[in-house]
Amino acid sequence: MQSTTRITTGLRGSRAGSRPWLMGAMWLVLGIYVLHLHFPGYGVGEQKETWLSLLPVWIPAVVCWLAALRTRQFRGQLSFAAAAVTCYALGASYLAAAQALHEVRPFPSPAMVGFLLFYALILACLALLVHRQRRGLPWSVVLDCTVGALGAAAVVAVILTSLLDSAVLTGSVAPTAVAAAYPVLDLLLVAAVVGIAASPELQLGRRWILLAGGLLMFAATDVAYALLVLDGSYLSGTPLDAGWAAGLTLVAVWVDARSRPDTSVNRALKGAWALIVPTVATATALGLLLVASRVNVSAAAVVLAGATLAAAAVRTQLAFRQLVRMSELRKLARTDDLTGLPNRRAFYADAPLQLAGDAAQPCALLLLDLDRFKDINDSLGHDAGDLLLRQIGSRLVVATRPEDVLARLGGDEFAVVLHGADAERAKTAANRLRAALTKPFTLEGLTIQVTASIGISVSPDHGTDVKTLLRKADIAMYKAKSAHSGHHVYVEADNVHGERRLRTLHELRLALLGGEFVLHYQPKVNLATGEVRGVEALVRWNHPDRGLLYPEAFLAIAEEAGLMHALNDVVLGLALDQAAEWRAQGHPLSVAVNLSASCLADPQLPMRIGTMLTERGLPSTALIVEITEEFLMEDCDRARAVLTGLRTIGVRISVDDFGTGYSSLAYLRDLPIDELKLDRSFIAPMRHDPRAAALVCSTIDLAHSLGLSMVAEGVEDGVIYEALARYGCDQAQGYLMSRPVAAEELDNWLTGRRRALAAVAYPSGFTDFSW
Ligand code: C2E
Ligand code: CA
Ligand code: CA
């Protein structure tokens, strides 16, 4: 029982409220009335005839009120509709009563109040309906509605030409006003209905057709009646009389349906169909104006048709402006706002068209990535980086043909699709693009040299879709970058390398966050005393799957990916932590840390290092930075700035792998350098080659003459160790003494060595060791 109640409540306002018997009765009565009008004189008495004419207008009124009272959501608009139908029914009843009493129909009669109120109330209902549908209608919708409404009004005005004219010509003022009111109100009603129908944006559901149909039928009957009356050919009791009741019945069905939830899918018309009503209205208004030049139509019709065209013109203007705005938006969405070149989105849209252009022709995709752009961004700031990208964009435009697709994919990455280009032509184009960048760029008064690496993939050999070609060009680009070859055409073998590289890169980023890097330390032995005052810190990656990795397995990738700064900070942090620990244990060892050439681009480096030392309570002598000759060669002015900054805070500077680069003596003299580390490629041959030994000897003298101390790297045997000591070399580092080892292992090694030194007290400290 309870559940039945709940179901009934749940269905309230849906099936339960529709009272099918009442709806059935409404249709039945209307049907009988129409039949009666069609076959008059079927024994229905005059009395009954009156009732039969009133029932089809009163039942809709009842249906409307029941529905309006049933719903809460739409009570306002449905009450207006119910009141409208009731007013009409009251007017009709008054007329019927007057007729039954054989009274002459007064003109204007009180019935007219009811009829006129019908229009006012139903128009109010429509207004509420539209208002509920959309608040803040866009102007385009309002204009569509206006065009539709005016067009429809113009058509009705033509039909009513004679009526409107006669109303104006009729004698007394009051009857004229009332007589003119009906056609004008019909015109308004039709205009409102068509106006609402003109915009599919007003989604009124499929039921709307009932209300529109009912009101149009009502207005049509009214107009036909008025015209017939004017013509003097109106006959009471024809099926035309049922027109009003039929219209009201449809209105009542709509009201009833509206009081129930709408489950129909509201499909708005799309594309050209959406504009069907305004288009027809405009065409009709135009036709009407043409006809008006030959035939007599009411002035109102001409005015309305003119207004329709004016509204349509405004609508067109608006549509045009919207179109321009849309195309501007589209252009904006496809443009890279920094360089003005097409962006990634545009590239993905245009490149497939180029690729598909002529299947017989090959197509090449070039992916250009600037070398060390991150350094420029980091050191000169993003504004300078942006400025550079803009200038590069302009140069690339000049270096490509108009038919090529050139785009900035993001960051410092540009892509070009060359139609009709095989690998050879792509290489020529790559050279042209790179050549376009050789002339130095000027940024904020600085002259900057920029190079780029270009990866090339060719369709159809390497793939036919943009995604595959881009991926392969990307792999080829990294190959070009690591080989410093400028450009590289993809080959299948790159893929394996490329994928491993990508994986390593991903893991590297995680490792930097996850503390997977450790340092090994290799001692530097004083050749005169045998003492160890300093160590070199060498980074290793404790890879979770691949075990301990040496620098050559990941440094180049970190450098390419611009992760060197982060790695550098990690290494510095670990090395200084260890230095602080040794100092705390009473063994103040200096730590030498390797700085990659890219660190030169970081003007903040000296300051950061200073902070790191202070935080750990370390003197600046605790740190030595090892730089390569490459570092000095890259940009002498900036190298000087960074090195001077380091020198100012008291950090010593050592030139690593000395002899392998091309640094001139002038650099050594001018730059604030403390130490040279002679590369092991000079040390190993000393044993067998007297010329090599002589070279090492004179280089040691040279260093000393410049006021620099000398460290020999890669010392692997005792003979060399002794020779170096003889030549006056300051320190030695190599496997002979110790490989790079973890800090604890180095501690053990140092302890053993101190003990041995103390026991034997040999000044040189070498011959006593049993390595
Ligand atoms: P490097 O600075 O010249 O470091 C010396 C390299 O020579 C080390 O290789 C070391 O293990 C090796 N070595 C030392 N003694 C001997 C010897 O007697 N014989 C031979 N054959 N080799 C010896 P490792 O550790 O693999 O480092 C290689 C390079 O990686 C380093 O060369 C340095 O350029 C770079 N590197 C290492 N750690 C770092 C770091 O933390 N930051 C940066 N930027 N670079 C680093
Ligand atoms: Ca080094
Ligand atoms: Ca070295």
Side-chain angles (χ1 to χ4, degrees):
M1 184 63 213
Q2 210 184 0
S3 68
T4 322
T5 320
R6 205 171 52 232
I7 289 168
T8 318
T9 321
L11 291 176
R12 238 168 167 257
S14 61
R15 262 180 46 222
S18 65
R19 293 173 210 267
W21 59 267
L22 187 59
M23 301 297 283
M26 182 170 70
W27 284 111
L28 187 70
V29 169
L30 179 68
I32 292 171
Y33 182 45
V34 173
L35 276 177
H36 162 68
L37 292 172
H38 201 72
F39 307 105
Y42 262 87
V44 184
E46 210 168 288
Q47 198 79 12
K48 286 181 186 159
E49 197 171 313
T50 307
W51 277 110
L52 195 55
S53 71
L54 289 179
L55 266 183
V57 293
W58 273 111
I59 300 180
V62 174
V63 168
C64 285
W65 279 120
L66 287 177
L69 296 175
R70 195 166 53 228
T71 176
R72 213 177 275 153
Q73 201 183 354
F74 305 119
R75 187 164 288 170
Q77 48 180 273
L78 297 192
S79 299
F80 271 111
V85 177
T86 310
C87 284
Y88 180 86
L90 283 170
S93 305
Y94 179 85
L95 275 190
Q99 209 169 9
L101 297 170
H102 301 287
E103 275 179 14
V104 183
R105 288 188 188 187
F107 189 85
S109 83
M112 299 209 160
V113 178
F115 295 150
L116 293 177
L117 270 176
F118 166 80
Y119 289 101
L121 291 166
I122 207 74
L123 284 169
C125 166
L126 287 178
L128 270 186
L129 184 67
V130 173
H131 180 72
R132 256 202 88 88
Q133 279 300 314
R134 271 278 175 116
R135 279 157 213 272
L137 287 170
W139 278 108
S140 58
V141 174
V142 174
L143 281 169
D144 280 343
C145 294
T146 311
V147 172
L150 286 172
V155 172
V156 179
V158 172
I159 298 170
L160 293 176
T161 297
S162 51
L163 211 83
L164 291 168
D165 289 351
S166 81
V168 175
L169 294 174
T170 319
S172 73
V173 176
T176 305
V178 178
Y182 287 122
V184 169
L185 286 169
D186 283 324
L187 187 140
L188 257 179
L189 194 59
V190 173
V193 170
V194 177
I196 292 171
S199 175
E201 304 248 347
L202 296 169
Q203 296 186 1
L204 301 173
R206 269 190 269 158
R207 299 160 172 189
W208 150 253
I209 208 90
L210 291 168
L211 180 65
L215 295 178
L216 289 181
M217 178 173 280
F218 185 95
T221 310
D222 222 39
V223 168
Y225 166 76
L227 288 172
L228 288 174
V229 169
L230 186 76
D231 197 37
S233 55
Y234 173 72
L235 281 178
S236 176
T238 66
L240 179 72
D241 288 0
W244 290 285
L248 296 182
T249 302
L250 283 173
V251 172
V253 175
W254 173 78
V255 171
D256 181 70
R258 182 99 177 124
S259 68
R260 285 179 278 134
D262 191 356
T263 49
S264 68
V265 184
N266 222 342
R267 273 195 213 100
L269 289 174
K270 294 227 163 64
W273 285 109
L275 290 175
I276 190 91
V277 177
T279 309
V280 170
T282 311
T284 310
L286 203 64
L288 205 150
L289 285 180
L290 287 176
V291 170
S293 63
R294 291 163 185 272
V295 185
N296 170 41
V297 290
S298 76
V302 175
V303 170
L304 284 168
T308 309
L309 289 183
V314 176
R315 173 70 176 105
T316 312
Q317 174 72 14
L318 188 77
F320 184 71
R321 258 200 255 156
Q322 281 175 340
L323 215 71
V324 171
R325 178 102 48 88
M326 292 264 281
S327 84
E328 275 170 1
L329 269 178
R330 208 177 105 82
K331 209 168 140 202
L332 244 146
R334 288 171 46 89
T335 308
D336 169 48
D337 49 2
L338 189 65
T339 58
L341 291 175
N343 60 14
R344 181 179 279 270
R345 188 182 294 127
F347 183 77
Y348 271 97
D350 297 346
L353 302 178
Q354 272 281 27
L355 291 173
D358 180 357
Q361 293 256 41
C363 233
L365 195 158
L366 279 68
L367 188 68
L368 182 148
D369 189 283
L370 302 180
D371 299 329
R372 305 210 167 139
F373 177 70
K374 192 176 177 297
D375 296 344
I376 294 171
N377 245 349
D378 288 350
S379 53
L380 299 180
H382 287 269
D383 288 346
D386 287 355
L387 195 66
L388 177 65
L389 287 174
R390 239 177 266 143
Q391 293 182 24
I392 287 173
S394 317
R395 289 204 197 172
L396 294 181
V397 170
V398 177
T400 44
R401 304 168 301 178
E403 64 267 31
D404 300 334
V405 177
L406 165 68
R408 178 175 167 233
L409 298 186
D412 59 342
E413 241 182 32
F414 296 83
V416 187
V417 174
L418 305 171
H419 188 63
D422 56 9
E424 281 316 306
R425 290 179 67 178
K427 281 193 217 165
T428 312
N431 280 329
R432 201 172 53 238
L433 290 173
R434 279 169 38 80
L437 306 181
T438 44
K439 205 174 132 230
F441 293 83
T442 311
L443 295 179
E444 296 167 355
L446 286 173
T447 306
I448 301 236
Q449 193 76 49
V450 172
T451 56
S453 301
I454 300 177
I456 302 168
S457 60
V458 181
S459 158
D461 294 358
H462 305 137
T464 47
D465 63 300
V466 181
K467 231 173 147 190
T468 311
L469 288 169
L470 255 182
R471 191 173 59 83
K472 295 192 169 169
D474 191 54
I475 292 170
M477 188 269 290
Y478 274 106
K479 187 75 195 275
K481 214 162 244 210
S482 54
H484 299 285
S485 57
H487 63 252
H488 177 73
V489 180
Y490 175 84
V491 284
E492 279 310 320
D494 296 338
N495 206 357
V496 182
H497 168 259
E499 269 165 20
R500 193 184 323 130
R501 203 196 68 82
L502 279 180
R503 200 173 50 241
T504 308
L505 187 62
H506 173 69
E507 290 169 349
L508 251 177
R509 291 185 208 278
L510 297 179
L512 278 169
L513 299 173
E516 286 173 20
F517 290 100
V518 291
L519 295 183
H520 279 183
Y521 301 90
Q522 190 175 31
K524 296 198 290 188
V525 177
N526 185 314
L527 282 163
T529 64
E531 284 174 310
V532 174
R533 291 277 176 82
V535 294
E536 179 180 0
L538 293 152
V539 69
R540 273 92 182 95
W541 178 4
N542 218 340
H543 193 283
D545 307 320
R546 290 158 68 192
L548 198 68
L549 297 182
Y550 285 78
E552 70 163 17
F554 57 87
L555 278 190
I557 299 172
E559 184 83 65
E560 274 172 29
L563 295 173
M564 221 46 202
H565 288 277
L567 181 68
N568 187 40
D569 281 358
V570 169
V571 170
L572 271 169
L574 290 172
L576 294 180
D577 283 347
Q578 187 57 51
E581 199 176 318
W582 279 323
R583 193 161 288 265
Q585 290 165 1
H587 309 299
L589 292 171
S590 69
V591 186
V593 169
N594 294 280
L595 282 192
S596 77
S598 58
C599 297
L600 160 83
D602 180 5
Q604 308 298 323
L605 185 72
M607 204 181 72
R608 266 208 328 280
I609 289 181
T611 314
M612 288 173 107
L613 285 166
T614 319
E615 278 168 358
R616 292 165 178 81
L618 286 169
S620 51
T621 49
L623 180 69
I624 298 175
V625 296
E626 292 192 8
I627 54 163
T628 57
E629 287 175 276
E630 193 195 343
F631 188 104
L632 302 176
M633 300 293 293
E634 199 127 289
D635 183 337
C636 192
D637 289 341
R638 281 210 276 151
R640 187 191 304 276
V642 173
L643 297 184
T644 311
L646 289 170
R647 163 64 63 89
T648 312
I649 59 168
V651 170
R652 280 171 295 164
I653 293 145
S654 173
V655 176
D656 204 356
D657 305 339
F658 181 68
T660 56
Y662 300 96
S663 57
S664 75
L665 286 176
Y667 284 128
L668 302 180
R669 195 188 56 222
D670 296 345
L671 292 170
I673 290 164
D674 301 277
E675 178 185 277
L676 299 180
K677 290 186 87 174
L678 194 56
D679 191 71
R680 66 168 177 267
S681 57
F682 299 100
I683 306 298
M686 276 172 68
R687 193 182 169 116
H688 310 289
D689 185 351
R691 278 182 310 167
L695 183 70
V696 170
C697 185
S698 60
T699 312
I700 293 166
D701 286 345
L702 171 79
H704 288 162
S705 69
L706 290 166
L708 309 171
S709 107
M710 178 64 92
V711 180
E713 286 188 310
V715 179
E716 292 184 355
D717 72 59
V719 177
I720 291 177
Y721 184 99
E722 285 205 341
L724 286 167
R726 253 194 338 269
Y727 298 155
C729 185
D730 301 284
Q731 293 179 82
Q733 183 183 341
Y735 291 170
L736 175 68
M737 292 74 83
S738 169
R739 287 180 173 263
V741 288
E744 309 83 71
E745 209 176 315
L746 188 79
D747 287 342
N748 294 337
W749 181 86
L750 284 169
T751 311
R753 185 182 171 82
R754 275 186 212 109
R755 275 206 206 107
L757 270 180
V760 183
Y762 273 117
S764 106
F766 162 63
T767 35
D768 210 53
F769 304 138
S770 50
W771 300 298

